[in-house]
Amino acid sequence: TVGQHLFTKHVTNKMLFDLRPIPDKPFHVEHRNIVENDPSERVSAEASVLSSRVHYYSRLTASSDRLLSPPDHVIPCPEELYVYSPLGMAFKVIGGDGGAKNPSIITIFAIWNTMMGTSILSIPWGIKQAGFTFGIILLLSMGLLTLYCCLRVLKSPKSIPYIDTSDWEFPDVCKYYFGKFGQWSSLVFSMVSLIGAMVVYWVLMSNFLFNTGKFIYSKILYNYKLNTFVSGISDTAVFDRWWSKTNTVPFYLIILLLPLLNFRSASFFARFTFLGTISVVYLIILVTLKAIRLGFHLEFHWLESTKFYVPEFRLLFPQLTGVLTLAFFIHNCIITLMKSNKHQENNVRDLSVAYLLVGLTYLYVGVLIFAAFPSPPLSKDCIEPNFLDNFPSSDVLVFVARTCLLFQMTTVYPLLGYLVRVQMMSQVFGKHYPSFFHVFTLNIVIVGTGVCMAKYYTNIGSIIRYSGATCGLALVFVFPSLVHMISQKRRGELSWPSAIFHSLLIVLGVANVAGQFFM
């Protein structure tokens, strides 16, 4: 792997260095092969000399013998340290202390922006499935449970004694406690969450592209034909045949997105992540305007349903818990996000505030859409898994929302594919990009899954709840609880209340998955 071609560890302030065999040119790399944001950055000639010196010392003795370890003046300074890749690239190493740190407010909104995804579109449907009052209770309860489990993940590396875990992620912690099983199982469940998100994205992009094309056709082309006294009946039939939500549009996306998935780097698409924040803010404004226009339509019936209203409690509530598991899911990257926090002592507070903001956002959108849904004349049972589908294609405000979401998802989809490729290929082949054939085959499988779901099963609420409950079983409930109990037991601090509480969390995770299939 890349790390085996240079240092496995770079320690400063009079500490030893752990050296591994080094290639002939670990520092002196052609300028075009340097992966760096600043195109003017170049490797100095002094770094090339230091390369030869370190190479000389590494041949004098084995890495386990510290007598002939390179002195401090031989080791390159952090700004001259590059990791040489077998792929012909040199990645600049940024020291942990030298990286940019963010204030708490930036960290909080970074977590909020990361957690806000497609699940927000299914929250009103989930509240309908659980019942209005019980849905609100479940949303608040799941937010607290997932927050606690996320805190357990965040603190898990620090619970390991005598080992430097500053660069560890949660899969590394799972590997430490559970060996290869923990490593591979965390990878599998991480793939479930990522590929599940990509499938949901494909279904939604097909939906948004279909409605966007239908809006443009009806508002521009069709009206133009009517104004010029040309009959558009036959043309409309042709348009409907070639512009179908399930039969044609999902296949049109292949032309656009499949080539983007094969890029070696996804850095270009990462620049558009701010569109997610804009889309969510616009959705909140849209929901507010629709609620003001439609008004509230609420009646409270705990046990029985009337003609236009659903009861406040329904046995289908596990469908909401499955959606909420993915809606509050950030456990696989929370350690990375919190490393950039300027005040590490405030990590617990900042994470709690971020979860509070996420919960309030979901609650605001879910409650307003459910309360304002026009019943009569329609029953609230008509709320769609994607609440935007309850508005016609001709609605201008909804058209803007669909267009923004379509463009945002088009840029995020390759990023998700890049994460899938990096995690899977690194584990299986030891390289992020083993060959074009390997990457293309993986992308064909991912895209084919999305196309099949967009054609035969378009209920994004069900897709979200199945993938959310499955990945949440391991990464939200089981592994964080087990890691915490094992670490407590090794320190002699495990108590019966703690064991019962964390065992109950594991049971809830299993029940959450089972409920998706039986409720």
Side-chain angles (χ1 to χ4, degrees):
T1 61
V2 174
Q4 293 175 338
H5 289 260
L6 198 52
F7 303 119
T8 58
K9 196 174 185 181
H10 182 69
V11 188
T12 56
N13 299 329
K14 299 182 180 179
M15 297 184 69
L16 295 175
F17 293 85
D18 182 17
L19 296 177
R20 295 286 180 89
I22 310 173
D24 292 336
K25 299 193 301 181
F27 305 107
H28 184 68
V29 186
E30 292 295 330
H31 178 233
R32 63 178 181 272
N33 289 334
I34 297 177
V35 178
E36 185 65 55
N37 294 330
D38 184 6
S40 62
E41 191 77 24
R42 295 189 66 88
V43 181
S44 66
E46 290 78 7
S48 181
V49 176
L50 288 176
S51 168
S52 301
R53 293 180 181 176
V54 173
H55 191 84
Y56 169 74
Y57 276 97
S58 67
R59 289 185 176 274
L60 291 178
T61 184
S63 60
S64 59
D65 190 353
R66 301 296 182 183
L67 294 177
L68 293 176
S69 296
D72 290 345
H73 69 275
V74 172
I75 301 300
C77 54
E79 60 267 20
E80 296 292 350
L81 186 61
Y82 288 79
V83 176
Y84 186 81
S85 166
L87 301 178
M89 297 293 183
F91 296 85
K92 192 168 186 178
V93 175
I94 303 297
D97 297 334
K101 298 293 184 179
N102 298 323
S104 293
I105 188 66
I106 300 298
T107 302
I108 290 171
F109 278 99
I111 297 173
W112 177 85
N113 185 39
T114 304
M115 223 183 301
M116 284 287 112
T118 55
S119 301
I120 194 173
L121 299 175
S122 297
I123 296 295
W125 172 82
I127 292 178
K128 181 257 295 186
Q129 297 298 88
F132 182 64
T133 304
F134 194 57
I136 295 176
I137 296 174
L138 282 180
L139 195 153
L140 298 175
S141 301
M142 287 295 293
L144 291 174
L145 285 178
T146 52
L147 169 60
Y148 175 78
C149 295
C150 196
L151 289 172
R152 296 271 63 88
V153 172
L154 182 62
K155 295 181 178 181
S156 60
K158 299 179 181 179
S159 65
I160 300 176
Y162 312 119
I163 297 178
D164 181 12
T165 60
S166 57
D167 294 329
W168 282 27
E169 299 294 337
F170 192 59
D172 300 315
V173 177
C174 294
K175 182 180 179 181
Y176 173 82
Y177 282 102
F178 309 111
K180 287 292 184 180
F181 171 79
Q183 179 185 11
W184 284 99
S185 58
S186 62
L187 172 67
V188 169
F189 286 106
S190 180
M191 291 297 99
V192 170
S193 64
L194 290 173
I195 296 178
M198 295 184 73
V199 170
V200 172
Y201 269 47
W202 199 279
V203 175
L204 286 174
M205 285 186 294
S206 301
N207 184 313
F208 296 151
L209 181 59
F210 168 78
N211 285 284
T212 301
K214 192 173 181 180
F215 177 88
I216 295 174
Y217 178 81
S218 61
K219 290 295 183 180
I220 300 177
L221 300 179
Y222 190 61
N223 287 340
Y224 173 78
K225 292 181 180 182
L226 290 179
N227 292 334
T228 54
F229 303 100
V230 177
S231 176
I233 297 177
S234 60
D235 290 339
T236 302
V238 173
F239 175 80
D240 292 338
R241 184 171 69 251
W242 290 99
W243 197 256
S244 171
K245 182 188 292 188
T246 58
N247 294 328
T248 59
V249 173
F251 295 92
Y252 294 157
L253 287 172
I254 299 176
I255 303 174
L256 171 64
L257 294 175
L258 183 57
L260 299 181
L261 287 176
N262 295 296
F263 281 14
R264 286 182 177 268
S265 173
S267 58
F268 172 77
F269 304 100
R271 302 174 185 177
F272 297 95
T273 53
F274 69 94
L275 293 174
T277 303
I278 297 176
S279 300
V280 173
V281 171
Y282 183 80
L283 278 179
I284 294 174
I285 297 174
L286 173 66
V287 167
T288 305
L289 294 177
K290 292 297 181 182
I292 293 174
R293 180 173 174 268
L294 297 173
F296 288 170
H297 306 278
L298 287 174
E299 285 185 8
F300 297 95
H301 301 276
W302 271 91
L303 299 177
E304 76 281 357
S305 60
T306 61
K307 182 178 181 181
F308 295 115
Y309 298 90
V310 298
E312 304 309 303
F313 170 81
R314 302 182 76 182
L315 292 176
L316 297 175
F317 69 88
Q319 298 184 8
L320 175 60
T321 61
V323 171
L324 291 174
T325 305
L326 192 62
F328 287 110
F329 181 72
I330 198 175
H331 300 63
N332 60 343
C333 62
I334 189 60
I335 296 176
T336 301
L337 287 174
M338 298 306 293
K339 282 179 181 177
S340 62
N341 198 11
K342 186 175 183 179
H343 301 285
Q344 291 293 306
E345 67 276 9
N346 297 332
N347 279 352
V348 174
R349 182 202 67 184
D350 295 344
L351 181 60
S352 302
V353 172
Y355 260 83
L356 176 63
L357 292 179
V358 171
L360 290 177
T361 304
Y362 287 148
L363 193 64
Y364 184 84
V365 173
V367 168
L368 279 190
I369 289 295
F370 183 91
F373 191 78
S375 51
L378 295 176
S379 168
K380 292 189 185 294
D381 262 329
C382 297
I383 296 178
E384 295 287 341
N386 172 11
F387 76 83
L388 293 178
D389 287 343
N390 287 113
F391 300 99
S393 300
S394 57
D395 192 310
V396 177
L397 293 177
V398 178
F399 163 75
V400 175
R402 287 174 174 140
T403 304
C404 291
L405 288 169
L406 175 62
F407 187 70
Q408 178 231 344
M409 291 180 180
T410 303
T411 58
V412 173
Y413 189 84
L415 287 175
L416 295 175
Y418 178 78
L419 293 176
V420 171
R421 180 214 310 168
V422 168
Q423 293 189 27
M424 184 174 295
M425 296 297 180
S426 297
Q427 290 290 335
V428 177
F429 301 103
K431 298 179 181 180
H432 295 174
Y433 202 103
S435 71
F436 175 80
F437 174 77
H438 290 84
V439 174
F440 185 74
T441 302
L442 174 64
N443 293 335
I444 286 291
V445 173
I446 295 175
V447 169
T449 304
V451 171
C452 290
M453 298 300 287
K455 180 174 175 60
Y456 297 107
Y457 193 79
T458 59
N459 189 328
I460 66 164
S462 293
I463 301 173
I464 289 174
R465 67 185 179 92
Y466 281 118
S467 60
T470 303
C471 72
L473 172 64
L475 301 179
V476 177
F477 296 105
V478 175
F479 281 156
S481 300
L482 287 178
V483 165
H484 183 63
M485 287 191 290
I486 294 174
S487 63
Q488 280 189 322
K489 185 177 181 180
R490 291 181 178 180
R491 297 193 305 269
E493 300 175 357
L494 181 62
S495 60
W496 280 109
S498 176
I500 293 174
F501 174 74
H502 291 93
S503 298
L504 182 60
L505 286 179
I506 297 175
V507 173
L508 288 177
V510 175
N512 189 28
V513 175
Q516 310 309 316
F517 297 93
F518 298 104
M519 292 292 183

